[in-house]
Amino acid sequence: MIAKTALCALVLLPALAAPAGAQDTTFVLVDRIAAVVGGSAIPYSRVEEELNVFRQQGGELPEDEAGLQEIRFEILRQSCANSSIRSSWSRRPSGTPLSG
C-alpha cells in the first residue's frame, strides 16, 4: 500500500509542478500616468474615478468620445491645480505665515 501511494505521488508530482522557466511573462497594463505635477504622478485611474463620481452624483455625461475627453481633461486640470497647491504647501517652511 505504501509503495502504491509513493508511486502515485511520483506520477502526479511532475504534473503539479510548473517547469522552472515557465513563468507567465504576459504584459498587463495596470494603470497609466495622466500627468506629473511637482514630482507627484496623477494616475489615469484617478481621472476615471472622478468621472465616475461625477456620474454617480447625477452629472450628465456626453455620449460621444470627444465630449468625454473634454470632461477628462477638465478633471485632470483640476487635479493638477490641486496637486500644485498641495506641492507648494508642503514646500512652505514651517512657521511661515500663510499670508505674505
Side-chain angles (χ1 to χ4, degrees):
M1 181 69 176
I2 294 176
K4 196 178 219 181
T5 305
L7 180 60
C8 284
L10 288 175
V11 169
L12 292 177
L13 188 61
L16 297 175
Q23 294 178 345
D24 185 11
T25 57
T26 8
F27 178 76
V28 177
L29 180 65
V30 176
D31 205 347
R32 294 178 277 178
I33 302 300
V36 177
V37 180
S40 297
I42 298 174
Y44 183 74
S45 60
R46 185 182 304 166
V47 175
E48 289 298 306
E49 182 179 324
E50 290 295 325
L51 186 67
N52 287 328
V53 168
F54 178 75
R55 181 182 296 133
Q56 289 172 348
Q57 292 175 345
E60 293 291 324
L61 295 178
E63 296 291 324
D64 64 323
E65 188 59 34
L68 284 172
Q69 273 306 98
E70 186 56 39
I71 291 176
R72 286 183 182 108
F73 283 133
E74 183 56 35
I75 290 170
L76 187 57
R77 282 191 279 276
Q78 290 174 3
S79 294
C80 288
N82 291 341
S83 292
S84 178
I85 291 168
R86 282 193 300 272
S87 178
S88 65
W89 175 259
S90 66
R91 289 192 306 263
R92 186 179 64 83
S94 63
T96 304
L98 294 178
S99 59

